[in-house]
């Protein structure tokens, strides 16, 4: 059993097979840097719980010998439900997946963000992510002229 402690002090016990899905933790374990409780200072408890939930589900899906292993279709459906998150949680999970070096989770979350902005105008993207337009009308016109290909 491996114990992780989030930035807000919440602890999580997980099997080693799940812990090694978090590459940062795996590296610490291999380098013998892992103590009895491994601190995860950049990740809050509620986000670490979601990360662990994802890793457990994906470990279970790869255990083909196990009679309760998920099919690829079931896993994709589970992933689709998993990413139905509010924006703040989505971005916190992206930061956690990046910090903990969980490529499959990072890819899933980044694809979710890409899908959110696909086909949207710059104005729509600013509205989705609450980004203030700090260009003057003249600067924006110049950028649109220089990058006309992006607006076609």
């Amino acid at each position: 059993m491996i114990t992780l402690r989030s930035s807000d002090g919440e602890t999580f016990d997980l099997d080693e097979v799940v812990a090694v899905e978090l590459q940062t933790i795996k590296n610490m374990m291999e380098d013998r840097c892992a103590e009895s409780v491994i601190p995860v200072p950049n990740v809050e408890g509620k986000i670490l719980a979601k990360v662990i939930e994802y890793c457990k589900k994906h470990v279970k899906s790869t255990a083909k010998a196990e009679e309760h292993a998920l099919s690829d279709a079931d896993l994709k459906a589970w992933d689709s439900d998993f990413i139905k998150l509010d924006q703040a949680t989505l971005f916190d999970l992206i930061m956690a997946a990046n910090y903990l070096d969980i490529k499959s989770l990072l890819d899933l979350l980044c694809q979710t963000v890409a899908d959110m902005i696909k086909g949207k105008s710059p104005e729509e993207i600013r509205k989705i992510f609450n980004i203030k337009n700090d260009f003057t009308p003249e600067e924006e016109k110049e950028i649109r002229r220089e990058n006309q290909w992006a607006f076609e």
Side-chain angles (χ1 to χ4, degrees):
M1 249 335 165
I2 305 296
T3 303
L4 304 180
R5 182 182 302 120
S6 66
S7 63
D8 53 357
E10 201 170 338
T11 58
F12 300 87
D13 293 325
L14 52 154
D15 294 327
E16 189 170 330
V17 68
V18 175
V20 297
E21 290 292 302
L22 294 78
Q23 289 298 308
T24 301
I25 303 304
K26 179 183 177 187
N27 293 341
M28 291 174 76
M29 290 166 50
E30 288 173 352
D31 295 342
R32 306 214 188 288
C33 297
E35 300 170 12
S36 58
V37 176
I38 302 172
V40 185
N42 296 359
V43 184
E44 289 181 358
K46 71 176 190 162
I47 300 301
L48 189 54
K50 294 291 284 179
V51 167
I52 292 168
E53 176 187 3
Y54 173 88
C55 290
K56 282 181 178 178
K57 189 61 80 170
H58 280 256
V59 164
K60 187 176 182 180
S61 77
T62 59
K64 297 294 182 198
E66 189 177 316
E67 74 179 54
H68 300 296
L70 292 174
S71 69
D72 287 344
D74 289 342
L75 188 60
K76 284 184 189 254
W78 186 88
D79 283 350
S80 292
D81 286 339
F82 180 80
I83 59 172
K84 292 177 182 170
L85 307 161
D86 61 88
Q87 255 185 35
T89 303
L90 179 66
F91 288 116
D92 286 345
L93 271 173
I94 288 172
M95 298 298 287
N98 185 53
Y99 173 70
L100 294 167
D101 195 11
I102 310 166
K103 186 179 179 343
S104 62
L105 178 57
L106 187 59
D107 289 348
L108 175 67
L109 297 169
C110 288
Q111 185 61 56
T112 302
V113 172
D115 291 343
M116 289 170 68
I117 64 175
K118 187 176 184 178
K120 302 277 194 290
S121 70
E123 292 78 20
E124 290 170 315
I125 294 169
R126 282 189 200 105
K127 186 174 181 182
I128 290 170
F129 297 116
N130 198 24
I131 300 170
K132 181 181 177 279
N133 183 3
D134 56 356
F135 290 117
T136 66
E138 295 79 25
E139 289 172 328
E140 191 166 344
K141 187 176 179 180
E142 179 64 20
I143 290 170
R144 286 181 184 270
R145 188 187 61 73
E146 289 174 357
N147 300 288
Q148 185 59 41
W149 60 271
F151 298 98
E152 294 173 350

